[in-house]
Amino acid sequence: MEDGARQFLERARVAHLATADAAGAPHVVPICFVVTGESLYVSIDEKPKRGRPLGLRRLRNIAANPQVAVVADVYDDDDWSRLGFVLVRGVARVLTGGQEHRRAIDALREKYVQYRAMALEDRPVIAITVQRVTSWGKLDA
């Protein structure tokens, strides 16, 4: 991943995760995430959700179709010269334990202070292996 895109993602506080089911029906949700190495991690945190964590549509979609996309962007209604985005495409896996799961939670807690008070150890983490990155616009603001 090029440095400008990586730094943009490291500064971003929110992005959107797109998954699709086996038939290709899309599903997009806002996410908190962290980039570590060539992977992007998303915790299934304790914010209110419908149903049990492993039953969430995004996780069911990943089980059926692991191709995902994540987009982080900036928008300024007054100054369109400040617009920019990074689009990450990759293959997702769901982690429920182990070293990678622990490292991901540690990195997420480092980025988001709110996660430090949440019991994330028993919750799934989405691990996305980055395959392609597309960026456009102002990434250094």
Side-chain angles (χ1 to χ4, degrees):
M1 182 181 315
E2 104 182 21
D3 286 345
R6 177 180 294 281
Q7 291 167 0
F8 182 89
L9 291 172
E10 288 172 350
R11 286 190 308 273
R13 304 300 293 168
V14 67
H16 291 84
L17 170 68
T19 62
D21 64 19
H27 181 70
V28 179
V29 293
I31 58 168
C32 294
F33 69 98
V34 67
V35 176
T36 303
E38 293 303 314
S39 295
L40 191 144
Y41 295 99
V42 179
S43 179
I44 304 302
D45 58 36
E46 291 182 331
K47 290 187 300 292
K49 294 169 181 52
R50 294 181 184 171
R52 56 187 179 77
L54 287 172
L56 292 172
R57 178 172 301 199
R58 69 198 89 158
L59 299 185
R60 293 191 327 259
N61 285 354
I62 289 167
N65 177 2
Q67 298 294 319
V68 300
V70 173
V71 67
D73 68 302
V74 292
Y75 178 81
D76 186 323
D77 203 33
D78 297 320
D79 183 0
W80 280 18
S81 71
R82 298 179 55 165
L83 307 182
F85 73 85
V86 172
L87 169 64
V88 174
R89 292 185 185 123
V91 176
R93 299 171 287 122
V94 177
L95 308 175
T96 57
Q99 282 188 327
E100 185 179 11
H101 183 266
R102 282 191 300 280
R103 285 192 310 267
I105 289 171
D106 290 346
L108 285 156
R109 283 182 172 149
E110 178 72 24
K111 184 173 180 180
Y112 299 98
V113 67
Q114 298 89 337
Y115 282 164
R116 295 175 191 166
M118 291 186 187
L120 301 177
E121 290 76 12
D122 295 327
R123 301 181 74 82
V125 170
I126 299 169
I128 301 168
T129 302
V130 175
Q131 293 184 319
R132 183 172 176 199
V133 178
T134 304
S135 61
W136 174 86
K138 186 127 175 100
L139 302 184
D140 60 356

